[in-house]
Amino acid sequence: MKKSVVLLFVSITFLVYGQERLTFQKPSAEILALADYQRPPAIQTSPDKTWLLFMYRPTYKSLEELGQEEVRLAGLRINPKTRISSRETYYNNLRLKNLADNKEFEIQDLPPDALLSNIAFSPDAQKVAFTNTTDKGVALWVVDVTTQRAKQLTDYELNAVLDEPYKWFRDSEQLLVSKLPSDQKPLVDRRHDLPQGPAVATSDGHISQLRTYQDLLKNPQDEQDFEHLATSELHGVDLNGNQRKLLDAAMYLKSSFSPDGQYILTTVLKRPFSYIVRYTSFPQETTVYEVNGKLLKQVNELPLIEVMPKGFSSVRAGRRSMGWRQDKSASLFFVEALDGGDANVEATYRDELFSWDAPFSSPPRSLMKIVDRFAGTTWGNDQYALVYSQWYDTRNVKTFVLNPTTGESKIIDDRNRQDIYADPGDVFRDKNQYGTYVMYIHKGKTYWVGGGFTEEGEFPFIDELDMKSFKKKRLYQAKPSDLQERISRIVDVAKGEILISLQSSSEYPNLYLKNIKTGKQRVVTAIPNPFKSLEKVHKEVLNYKRKDGVDLSGTLYLPAGYDFDKKEKLPLLIWAYPREYKDKKTAGQSTANPKQFTFPSYGSFVYWVSKGYAVLDNAAFPIVGEGQTEPNDTFIPQLVTNAEAAIDAVDRLGYVDRKRVAIGGHSYGAFMTAHLLSNSDLFAAGIARSGAYNRTLTPFGFQSEQRNFWDDPQLYITMSPFMSADRMKTPMLLVHGAADNNPGTFTLQTERYFQALKNLGAPVRMVILPRESHGYVAKENILHLLWEQDQFLEKYLKNKEEYR
């Protein structure tokens, strides 16, 4: 394809600020060597744990890819021609490896110029399905694992706008595909049509708490376009490509098969639509069909949700979280709020969990009432299931063992969800007689895999839990070693076989098949380190305290060959992201690990260790609000004390010049950066990327704040760096994607903040990256971003020249 040259420039609507007309630049050789690398493959394990599927994709997208045709409707970004997300991530090659003999195979007959996505093994692990996208649309392909050959099953006619475009039937012989209606015509471009009337929205007087969303419907034409693009038919397709229509055209939000494969559960979107909420809040109708497409029963109906009670523990009224019980042939489960979904009302129980057996002619059966808010289930069998609950205000999570037959339940875990040192891990799930994944129970025992984070380090474990006595027995725990071990999955409980990864700061994480009974292990993958130039960089985890006693940590990098005797004073870069906690104990816990592989990316400052900087990466910036106090009540003072503690910790070691320290962050980290530059004199420079700076533009909450602007106007004003722009005198680089899709971080936030800083005489530079969303993906933009940051840091940290 012909490549287009895109010019990067700074623009503010209606105002001219001496923009630089700049073509895309590349960073210095040291940084480019790290940034321009070949991305290692992503890996899937087959359901029978026999095969590994290696999925390769380019390291970056291109601006040309980001410039494809796109419509933004109901919170989605859609390519209207191909009927798939315009921001889809694509793979371009697949390989298979047999775990038994380590033989690796190329997949033959993959489509040319492949754009592969939606990749999934069949339930019997004998096939791999994927979609390929071209200018014509999306088609379904399948790979025979035995022959390692791919073939096309459908034309380029699938619809991937709302849901995955296909699902495997339970027998692995057919697939359920979402197909464009046979009589549907292409979307009509009506951008130049005269409007037929105004866009109108009304309020019925109910109080609600809705966040600020992007890409919403705006007028009747958007409504028509959304319905047109979201509509599909459901067809069955066999492995020879033969099709049969099962369900008529509708806006299918999701579909799934019952464990026995005899029924299909579908949820469709209905009108009326909304101009203030995303498509997930539109009216929904959930129905069960027989596998041949015959209607069985409508099992749920939800209205448009434009009114939500305040609080993160509030939910929509009515039946929710409906799905198939994985331990039964054909039973649904769902939850219904007993408090109307309003977390602010007094209630003995918040939620009730139900089970409902096909053919749904009898009423649903209550399984248990839950004091807090339902947070999920893991099904096992008729005797054992796990039910999880949570309550946001206290950060509490509980795990119950439920007997689905008798309704008896017992709490087996009750903790602060942020208490990572007390995390019991996740229960091991494996396939049952239906081929669905349930809690593995052997002779009344279950098995739990945990990360094993402790004050001393990371030591993953496997526990055996007796489901009658609830006594735990530790079957395995990783031992201290020069390499960090992590458990990828249990392969065979009886044999003691597990799949692990081993890594160090300079050794890429590779997979090994290990026997925990014998201790023997063998190599499964041998992916080399793609960042050789960082192999000799010094890396350590710093543990330190802030002045109120909260434990903090960060990962410190020093240039290769740094002389610890001479201790040259280096410029220091700190990259951080503030996180909220309800107590000091959990705020002080750390997952920082010096043995974790150093995987640099544009999302941190690690690249700059190759340029002679010291880097404190992922510096802990906890914001604690204990008891009735909310974290944001003292947000700014805590930010400053976090920053002081981080600089002091590195300075005490004698490594840095504390007059040459820069702070940086992305999103909420950018918000943090702006506050620190306005409210402290700790930093010589700052880099803020894709942030929000005026909280009055997000008046119904932001990040973890549940109060709205009218609850506490002063809080919102204090929490807005825009309001203190007159105090910002430190050089700052502001960066934003021109097409940011994140709630609250509209590109306008950076444009207006820059306008205020510029007019107030602050030393600031703004860079708007064309076509980028909240996270940046195009190679041209990322390399230019690194160049901008490199130029900025060389000037204001290494050389500390006056900004011009």
Side-chain angles (χ1 to χ4, degrees), residues 568-637:
E568 177 190 355
K569 300 287 188 179
L570 304 176
L572 172 64
L573 307 179
I574 299 176
W575 189 264
Y577 189 94
R579 301 184 187 279
E580 294 86 352
Y581 296 85
K582 287 303 292 180
D583 63 74
K584 293 179 179 179
K585 175 187 173 185
T586 56
Q589 295 181 352
S590 172
T591 60
N593 189 338
K595 293 181 288 185
Q596 181 167 308
F597 178 68
T598 300
F599 203 123
S601 75
Y602 85 90
S604 78
F605 281 145
V606 174
Y607 287 132
W608 275 267
V609 74
S610 67
K611 296 289 297 285
Y613 293 80
V615 176
L616 187 65
D617 194 40
N618 289 323
F621 269 62
I623 310 296
V624 184
E626 295 188 305
Q628 298 301 310
T629 302
E630 291 296 327
N632 285 341
D633 293 343
T634 53
F635 183 85
I636 294 173

Side-chain angles (χ1 to χ4, degrees), residues 642-658:
N642 287 327
E644 287 175 335
I647 296 171
D648 288 345
V650 186
D651 187 37
R652 277 194 296 269
L653 299 175
Y655 301 150
V656 298
D657 175 358
R658 66 181 302 139

Side-chain angles (χ1 to χ4, degrees), residues 33 75 88 123 156 174 191 219 239 244 276 358 395 400 502 533 578 614 624 627 675 708 734-735 767 801:
E88 186 80 1
Y156 286 86
Q174 299 180 78
R191 285 176 293 180
N219 52 54
L239 295 178
R244 58 190 175 96
I276 62 173
R395 310 301 195 268
F400 300 83
L502 293 176
S533 62
V624 184
H675 271 304
N708 66 43
L734 282 171
V735 183
V767 178
E801 294 180 8

Side-chain angles (χ1 to χ4, degrees), residues 784-797:
H784 186 89
L785 167 70
L786 296 174
W787 177 82
E788 288 278 1
Q789 293 184 163
D790 196 31
Q791 298 292 309
F792 179 82
L793 293 171
E794 290 288 299
K795 181 178 289 189
Y796 299 110
L797 229 59

